[in-house]
Amino acid sequence: MRHVVGIDLGGTNLRAAVVSEAGEVAGRARKPTQAAEGPDAVISRMAEVAAEACEAAGLDRSSVAAIGVGAPGPLNTRTGVVVTAPNLPGWRNIKLKDKLERASGVTTFVENDANAAAWGEKWVGAGRDVDNLIMFTLGTGVGGGIIIDGKLLHGIDDSAAEVGHITVRPGGPICGCGNDGCVEALASATAVARRAREMVEAGRGVILRDLVGGDPSRIEAKTVHEAILAGDADSVSLMADVALDLGIAIADLVNVLNPEMIIIGGGMAAMGEYLFEPLRATVVARSFEAPARRARIVPAQLGDDAGIIGAAGVALLSVEGCT
Amino acid sequence: MRHVVGIDLGGTNLRAAVVSEAGEVAGRARKPTQAAEGPDAVISRMAEVAAEACEAAGLDRSSVAAIGVGAPGPLNTRTGVVVTAPNLPGWRNIKLKDKLERASGVTTFVENDANAAAWGEKWVGAGRDVDNLIMFTLGTGVGGGIIIDGKLLHGIDDSAAEVGHITVRPGGPICGCGNDGCVEALASATAVARRAREMVEAGRGVILRDLVGGDPSRIEAKTVHEAILAGDADSVSLMADVALDLGIAIADLVNVLNPEMIIIGGGMAAMGEYLFEPLRATVVARSFEAPARRARIVPAQLGDDAGIIGAAGVALLSVEGCT
């Protein structure tokens, strides 16, 4: 059986996994990115972490068919050049594919990290039985990936699938992208924590307030989940508001793309039915009947592994000449 | 040179054109739909109007390679079944493809009318040099079509590309689809006429009011255009508001699909730069820089012919086995 290596190029850590062509993880490795040392040092370490993952899998590096890297964008998937990467100092027009091929001796492909996660879920996760899906990763920001007819949607400049920057509340909170009322500014884990802090500061969410010892600055998205589980009605209501905002964007995409599945990943997916139930109701209320009935809204299944497995999967497809 | 026939199945008229494989119209015909007579009578008349278009083109019907029909949805493009058609009484699960093939003796393909218009613009209109575009037809309602990598996007149930039902003002005007704040409820020609009437009733738009002899009920979208040309500042300002609403939806699609071109057709396109200039500014302000710079926002070029030419084009592709 052939194997490929997937690497997640994060601002803090480099994570690698050797993945079989069946999508099973055979070995893993991890290293701090030490991004401050600049691109060349980071790329050397990427070759090292790939080699260590091979060692953990008991495989010789020569038996690896390809490396796939999930990298922060913007980037060019054809040339493998990373245009810029906000959390990686000095990364500007870095020929990641070429440099990592030289450092590792293995054919390398580069994919946007959010797209890689979507591909992971499509390959061996929640979306393995469908060919048309949209993934939202609701974490610090909101990442996205779109698969149409079994292929990742890249757009003409590899800039597609920025589903976190659909406007759902014009005039709403300012987003990191400069726009106002984006999904990311309302439904990311960061935004939910901010909304919960504002709620507590306004005197609501007593159970949530008590969970953080009366200090709203300690509220995180997961604290809101704890408050919900402890019976905080205001936190339940906040989650319904978040679901309404996110649901507007999903309803838009249901009407525009008519997908089979919407996958929700990232920290927010842990909210479970407190998020999914009002989300499904919003989408049914705001989109056409046939596509709304079709689009299953489900949690992601691979957790943090989606990105590395998906990066490996993209490399496998690319080396087969199928993308 | 091969020829195909495109037919637009409208609630009022059946329009047909013989189109060469180069996309040139060689002959036309038109008949009242007389929809009240039911599907079988309408389909017989479709065969007649196709034959008349062939006659007008000086072609024998046997020299026509295929018929393409642009039909109101929902429908199934693979089976050629029209599921329902709001303006065509009795049309419920009508096997349009099979029936028209029997009536005409010509291989027939069925496409959603808004998709057909987008394909017409892609084939020989504003989008002929690009492979990734989104079309908005701003008329009585708002139709849409999406072309990705040179192919119409249908979605899993032929329900995709309902770009008129992207929510841009949650809590805004109720749309015919049941949702609130859709593009269609804010930027269709119908919506613009309604917004202009409300403006005049509120005491603004004096030049517009005078153009309709003080009777707001006489205001149509084209009257608003006349008022703009006559120097009505409030009408210019209304058009900027409309552009802001439409621009939110376009910015969403620029971030999600990263297309090369946005084509605006339908009656509203006649507003010219009074619409396009604020529209472009909104999209630049609300979407990421690279995809915003890429997406040219342009008027449609084929007018009412987009649908019949596009339906013919879809038939040509289908008979070649390329869709």
Side-chain angles (χ1 to χ4, degrees), chain B residues 158-232:
Chain B
D158 281 317
S159 297
E162 288 286 1
V163 296
H165 301 282
I166 293 172
T167 299
V168 294
R169 296 283 171 196
I174 302 297
C175 183
C177 76
N179 188 23
D180 47 76
C182 288
V183 172
E184 181 166 296
L186 289 154
S188 62
T190 313
V192 169
R194 188 201 69 237
R195 294 174 76 164
R197 283 193 291 269
E198 290 167 359
M199 178 178 79
V200 166
E201 283 159 3
R204 285 174 292 121
V206 174
I207 295 175
L208 175 58
R209 186 199 62 202
D210 291 350
L211 276 175
V212 291
D215 178 3
S217 73
R218 287 174 50 204
I219 294 174
E220 296 175 44
K222 64 183 177 195
T223 337
V224 179
H225 188 216
E226 288 165 26
I228 288 171
L229 296 178
D232 189 61

Side-chain angles (χ1 to χ4, degrees), chain A residues 132 146 148-149 151 153-163 165-171 177-181 248 251-260 285-286 288 290-291 294, chain B residues 132 146 148-149 151 153-163 165-171 177-181 248 251-260 285-286 288 290-291 294:
Chain A
N132 295 277
I146 298 175
I148 294 177
D149 291 341
K151 290 173 68 176
L153 177 76
H154 285 108
I156 192 74
D157 305 297
D158 281 316
S159 297
E162 288 286 1
V163 296
H165 301 282
I166 293 173
T167 299
V168 294
R169 295 282 172 197
C177 76
N179 188 24
D180 47 75
I248 288 172
D252 288 347
L253 294 175
V254 163
N255 279 341
V256 170
L257 299 178
N258 183 19
E260 295 167 270
R286 301 191 80 93
F288 283 104
R294 171 71 70 166
Chain B
N132 296 277
I146 297 175
I148 294 177
D149 291 341
K151 290 173 68 174
L153 176 76
H154 285 109
I156 191 75
D157 304 297
D158 281 317
S159 297
E162 288 286 1
V163 296
H165 301 282
I166 293 172
T167 299
V168 294
R169 296 283 171 196
C177 76
N179 188 23
D180 47 76
I248 287 172
D252 288 348
L253 294 175
V254 164
N255 279 341
V256 170
L257 300 178
N258 183 20
E260 294 167 270
R286 301 191 79 94
F288 283 104
R294 171 71 71 166

Side-chain angles (χ1 to χ4, degrees), chain B residues 88-101:
Chain B
L88 298 171
W91 286 68
R92 185 159 278 275
N93 295 316
I94 297 298
K95 294 178 176 172
L96 176 57
K97 172 186 167 71
D98 293 352
K99 284 172 181 268
L100 186 54
E101 284 182 345

Side-chain angles (χ1 to χ4, degrees), chain B residues 227-268:
Chain B
I228 288 171
L229 296 178
D232 189 61
D234 288 334
S235 292
V236 171
S237 165
L238 172 64
M239 200 48 51
D241 290 346
V242 169
L244 180 55
D245 294 334
L246 176 59
I248 287 172
I250 293 178
D252 288 348
L253 294 175
V254 164
N255 279 341
V256 170
L257 300 178
N258 183 20
E260 294 167 270
M261 184 176 279
I262 310 287
I263 301 176
I264 310 290
M268 285 291 294

Side-chain angles (χ1 to χ4, degrees), chain A residues 7-84:
Chain A
I7 303 179
D8 179 63
L9 168 55
T12 308
N13 285 300
L14 301 173
R15 295 187 307 126
V18 175
V19 182
S20 75
E21 60 190 326
E24 280 160 357
V25 174
R28 295 168 183 277
R30 172 193 288 254
K31 270 184 185 304
T33 307
Q34 298 181 267
E37 294 180 12
D40 287 337
V42 169
I43 293 168
S44 295
R45 257 191 300 283
M46 289 171 79
E48 287 165 29
V49 80
E52 287 171 21
C54 290
E55 210 171 306
L59 283 173
D60 192 89
R61 211 189 331 175
S62 64
S63 64
V64 166
I67 294 175
V69 181
L75 52 78
N76 184 317
T77 55
R78 289 168 293 279
T79 61
V81 171
V82 174
V83 180
T84 58

Side-chain angles (χ1 to χ4, degrees), chain B residues 13-162:
Chain B
N13 284 300
L14 301 173
R15 295 187 308 126
V18 175
V19 181
S20 75
E21 61 189 327
E24 281 160 359
V25 174
R28 295 166 184 277
R30 173 193 288 252
K31 270 183 185 305
T33 308
Q34 298 182 267
E37 294 179 12
D40 286 338
V42 170
I43 292 167
S44 294
R45 258 190 300 282
M46 290 171 79
E48 287 166 28
V49 80
E52 287 171 22
C54 290
E55 210 172 307
L59 282 174
D60 192 88
R61 212 189 330 176
S62 63
S63 64
V64 166
I67 294 175
V69 181
L75 51 78
N76 184 318
T77 55
R78 289 168 293 280
T79 60
V81 171
V82 174
V83 180
T84 58
N87 297 319
L88 298 171
W91 286 68
R92 185 159 278 275
N93 295 316
I94 297 298
K95 294 178 176 172
L96 176 57
K97 172 186 167 71
D98 293 352
K99 284 172 181 268
L100 186 54
E101 284 182 345
R102 272 201 296 277
S104 67
V106 180
T107 306
T108 298
F109 301 94
V110 177
E111 182 55 88
N112 171 282
D113 48 10
N115 287 351
W119 188 257
E121 290 289 341
K122 151 73 187 130
W123 188 21
V124 290
R128 62 186 171 279
D129 296 327
V130 301
D131 276 331
N132 296 277
L133 67 83
I134 300 160
M135 180 160 178
F136 283 77
T137 303
L138 305 172
T140 308
V142 176
I146 297 175
I147 292 167
I148 294 177
D149 291 341
K151 290 173 68 174
L152 276 169
L153 176 76
H154 285 109
I156 191 75
D157 304 297
D158 281 317
S159 297
E162 288 286 1

